[in-house]
């Protein structure tokens, strides 16, 4: 039976997720993928990177064609992901791995933050808090003046 593509818990199918399982090198780690609009995602990355707790930010993909960012998170995250305005693609053991090359291709697409040994994935609770804060900051900026 051929492998199936990852499913999405909420929202449309994620263009950052590979259509078929990605080949992985030994030791690669399974992951789920949280996608958000690029504006909110960039703000969240900034919040995480300058946070006082210095939480590790895992790999982040940028899909220029869809104007989204994808945060790699631990497998199983999709089971409880409920952040409005985002989607979490689960792999259910179907082989989505942290690839050396991003699965998204095209102009403006690639790693915003490439995979690193010190931050293999982003903690979902930390990401949730950063996305919530980013949404509040964007709303405040949009309603200013």
């Amino acid at each position: 039976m051929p492998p199936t593509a990852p499913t999405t818990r909420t929202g449309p199918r994620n263009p950052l997720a590979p259509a078929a399982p990605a080949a992985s090198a030994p030791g690669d780690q399974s992951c789920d993928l949280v996608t958000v609009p690029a504006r909110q995602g960039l703000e969240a990355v900034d919040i995480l990177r300058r946070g006082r707790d210095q939480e590790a930010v895992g790999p982040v993909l940028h899909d220029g064609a869809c104007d989204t960012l994808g945060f790699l998170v631990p497998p199983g995250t999709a089971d409880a992901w409920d952040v409005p305005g985002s989607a979490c693609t689960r792999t259910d053991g179907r082989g989505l791995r942290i690839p050396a090359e991003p699965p998204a291709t095209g102009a403006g697409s690639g790693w915003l933050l490439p995979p690193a040994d010190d931050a293999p994935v982003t903690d979902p609770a930390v990401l949730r808090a950063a996305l919530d804060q980013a949404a509040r900051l964007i709303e405040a900026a949009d309603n200013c003046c």
Side-chain angles (χ1 to χ4, degrees):
M1 185 162 111
T4 56
T7 57
T8 301
R9 179 166 169 73
T10 58
R13 183 181 172 338
N14 187 332
L16 292 175
S24 62
D28 279 0
Q29 177 178 344
S30 294
C31 59
D32 284 358
L33 184 71
V34 171
T35 55
V36 297
R39 184 177 180 200
Q40 183 181 11
L42 289 168
E43 189 66 46
V45 167
D46 187 47
I47 290 165
L48 291 168
R49 294 185 84 185
R50 66 179 158 79
R52 63 180 163 221
D53 296 334
Q54 296 298 308
E55 295 288 346
V57 182
V60 179
L61 288 163
H62 177 246
D63 184 343
C66 293
D67 201 27
T68 59
L69 289 188
F71 292 83
L72 277 63
V73 293
T77 297
D79 295 336
W81 192 259
D82 61 353
V83 177
S86 68
C88 188
T89 303
R90 61 180 167 219
T91 64
D92 292 332
R94 293 188 179 114
L96 179 62
R97 304 257 183 224
I98 300 174
E101 295 297 322
T105 58
S109 296
W111 289 117
L112 178 68
L113 297 174
D117 291 336
D118 63 339
V121 293
T122 300
D123 180 290
V126 172
L127 178 58
R128 180 185 310 271
L131 290 172
D132 288 345
Q133 184 178 353
R136 289 191 306 272
L137 289 170
I138 290 168
E139 182 179 1
D142 287 350
N143 293 326
C144 180
C145 306

